[in-house]
Amino acid sequence: MSPLQRAFLLEAAGRYLWWQQPEEALACPRRILAQVMNLGVWEDWCRMTALFTPEELAEVLAHAEMGQFSPRSWSFWHCRFSKEIPPMPHRIAP
């Protein structure tokens, strides 16, 4: 991770993962990116897409957990990366 990516993730963690300390949240950068992708404002999206490759952001979608994305964000980011929109992650009842 580059110093610019780290700085962005720490700043975004402070804004989008308010229940954790930014340094603690940095242990899971995909979670921070998922929060920005789901809840972020345009300026944060622009910074994120300038700092992270489409492949890195597509990996966030590929490893998404249940509840990390709204249906709207899920569709937007899959369309943005020209990917087929799969069903959203869901819990499987035993």
Side-chain angles (χ1 to χ4, degrees), residues 53-68:
T53 66
E55 293 78 22
E56 290 171 316
L57 297 176
E59 279 295 307
V60 173
L61 290 172
H63 294 91
E65 298 174 12
M66 183 185 76
Q68 279 188 320

Side-chain angles (χ1 to χ4, degrees), residues 61-62 73-86:
L61 290 172
S73 293
W74 183 254
S75 296
F76 172 84
W77 287 103
H78 279 86
C79 288
R80 169 112 188 219
F81 299 130
S82 299
K83 296 191 176 286
E84 185 175 325
I85 303 171

